[in-house]
Amino acid sequence: MKITKRTLAEAWQRTAAGHAPLHGIGLPPVALSEDELEACAERAGEAEEDSLLLLLDEDGTVRGHHGPYREVFAVRDLDQVLYLIAESALARPGGGPEETAAALDRIDPAWGRRFRGGGLDDTGPAEACGRDPLEGLAWIAGPWREQSPYTTLSFFRAAPGQPVDAERLALLYGADPAQVAAGTRLKDLQAEDGGRVHWDRQWESCCFGQAGGWTYLLHHDTPPGAFADKEAYAALGITESVWLTATSAKAIYTLDYVRDGRRVDDGWGVLELIWYERGRAPYLRGGELDFLNRALRRAELDHPALTGTFQLYFHALEESLGLRLPRRDFADGEVRAAYWAAR
């Protein structure tokens, strides 16, 4: 059945009236055009509300928005629309994800399973990971927000059975060939002149290695040799790359995920990590990054004591993409390192 403004309003009225957790919660503003949506967003902004807005297409597709440009879902199934409205209304700041799940359980157990799974179906969550997230990638989330140990965390992998050579990658980006050949470690750079040299030159350095099937290269400013030799770079056979960049002075933290030569972003452009709020899926539901929505929900429910959104986000990256960084190697200075070669 095609969704109309009337059928949507009537369905929500019945749903809200029939379930205590939704009593008093009205249908979000429904716009029938982009102009109407912008007007709704302007009114919400004046009221300092980040509420859900709905744009109803002529074909019955309901598009959920936060603001006029950030589309968070596009569905044509009435039950999914009602669920997403309820989820948005109940997942309020200050409340925990389990609290939201319990409220949705009281409305419909299938809705509770759907929320715990993080997707648009009701298959429920995957098996709990059972590990301390701070022993995995999440350890670096805190210092990285302050651009430590590096501003940019980049990860690369090739086709199965074709690992990316960490030394070749570092050299292509401009690492000092002599230090790469010598197997220089971070502790070697830090030891020179009691650490004073590295203190002055750390912005000219990088760390690199392999972990979890990925090759990582960590650095600050754009490396002097980045992509200079495109043929040599292509010869590495890279099919996936993940870039995490922190600009703490401006509170900008971004994710850039490239697979098979194209950016995975649902057409959103730059993906800022601050879009993620605990208990709310940050990316388009059912979109290219829905795997991260699901991984984040799992992280929230598996680790309720971990309330830092950046730590949860990094744990979700580890669980969904397998990103790793060897915490002990960095702590002990055993990770491979080099300065950029003199130019």
Side-chain angles (χ1 to χ4, degrees), residues 4 14 67 85 171 198 218 260-261 293 300:
T4 65
R14 290 193 301 271
I85 295 172
L171 289 169
H198 188 61
L218 280 54
D260 296 325
N293 290 332
E300 293 166 352

Side-chain angles (χ1 to χ4, degrees), residues 193-269:
D193 194 20
R196 285 185 289 272
V197 171
H198 188 61
W199 176 261
D200 292 335
R201 296 192 61 192
Q202 59 183 317
W203 287 86
E204 303 170 24
S205 71
C206 68
C207 285
F208 58 94
Q210 292 183 349
W214 292 81
T215 295
Y216 59 86
L217 178 71
L218 280 54
H219 56 85
H220 285 295
D221 295 333
T222 302
F227 307 111
D229 190 335
K230 293 183 179 180
E231 291 186 4
Y233 184 83
L236 292 173
I238 294 170
T239 58
E240 285 183 275
S241 61
V242 178
W243 302 76
L244 291 149
T245 304
T247 308
S248 59
K250 298 181 180 179
I252 297 175
Y253 311 95
T254 61
L255 167 75
D256 195 1
Y257 176 35
V258 177
R259 185 175 60 211
D260 296 325
R262 60 175 297 274
R263 179 176 285 155
V264 180
D265 64 356
D266 290 310
W268 286 17

